[in-house]
Amino acid sequence: LIAAAAATLLAGCATVDPAATLAPVQDLVRQHAGADLVAQRSDEDGAALRARVAELLAQPLSADSAVQLALLNHRGLQARLQDLGVAEAQVVELSRLPNPGFSFGRMRQGDEREIERSLHFNLAALLLRPLAAKAERRQLEALQKSVAADALALAAQARKAFFEAVAAEQTLHYMRQVL
């Protein structure tokens, strides 16, 4: 009985930790692309991102800064990072007990009154909760890998575009010399 009460209490205390959900994705991107992945969750985060973008644009562009700019400034990627928070919230929701239902009815027939009260709890949802939570955790992990793959693909595209731009500039310079 004490263990069940403790589990119930702890399940009610589960919270969403966006940093923990984003950390594996950030580590993968940092390891493979050499750039930081930052999620914009508030107006202050947005201001910090814009300041970082302006700082990077004030310096001469390099392949690494082009990748960093792409990761910071891509709205589609920011939306995908927000999807991670939604998926984590669903995992946390499944770790909590479902709310019980309560109904109250009052009927009156002449001088006679009938009061009906009921408290109900969805036992099937309670029994299937661990399976649903496990499936939701798997979906979160799959989403983390998908977001990391998208970020790495964006980083590769940015790096490729940078080198194509440098090559085009060098070709133009060479053609001017030949002319």
Side-chain angles (χ1 to χ4, degrees):
L1 185 61
I2 293 173
T8 303
L9 181 64
L10 291 175
C13 296
T15 60
V16 176
D17 184 11
T21 304
L22 186 58
V25 178
Q26 288 173 323
D27 292 342
L28 277 172
V29 171
R30 192 174 299 117
Q31 178 183 2
H32 294 289
D36 293 326
L37 187 61
V38 180
Q40 178 182 344
R41 291 196 171 84
S42 65
D43 291 337
E44 293 82 23
D45 291 344
L49 282 176
R50 286 188 294 278
R52 177 75 175 127
V53 167
E55 176 186 318
L56 287 170
L57 289 173
Q59 301 169 0
L61 193 63
S62 68
D64 291 336
S65 62
V67 168
Q68 187 65 63
L69 281 167
L71 291 177
L72 291 176
N73 218 21
H74 196 275
R75 290 183 184 202
L77 183 60
Q78 287 295 323
R80 296 282 307 207
L81 295 175
Q82 299 307 318
D83 290 343
L84 285 174
V86 172
E88 185 190 12
Q90 290 171 342
V91 169
V92 169
E93 179 185 351
L94 286 173
S95 70
R96 294 183 176 162
L97 293 174
N99 289 332
F102 178 75
S103 61
F104 180 81
R106 185 178 92 166
M107 292 179 18
R108 187 173 174 183
Q109 200 173 37
D111 290 339
E112 206 175 297
R113 283 189 209 162
E114 185 177 328
I115 298 175
E116 183 179 312
R117 297 170 297 272
S118 67
L119 178 67
H120 51 90
F121 195 76
N122 190 344
L123 187 59
L126 181 65
L127 293 175
L128 294 176
R129 213 137 186 95
L131 294 174
K134 189 175 183 179
E136 200 64 42
R137 271 187 246 107
R138 285 184 183 155
Q139 285 182 339
L140 175 62
E141 291 169 4
L143 182 61
Q144 285 174 324
K145 291 175 184 173
S146 174
V147 170
D150 289 349
L152 291 173
L154 178 63
Q157 288 173 349
R159 194 173 299 278
K160 179 181 175 187
F162 172 79
F163 287 120
E164 286 175 349
V166 169
E169 189 176 313
Q170 291 294 321
T171 302
L172 177 65
H173 180 69
Y174 175 70
M175 293 214 165
R176 284 185 179 158
Q177 282 181 340
V178 170
L179 184 62

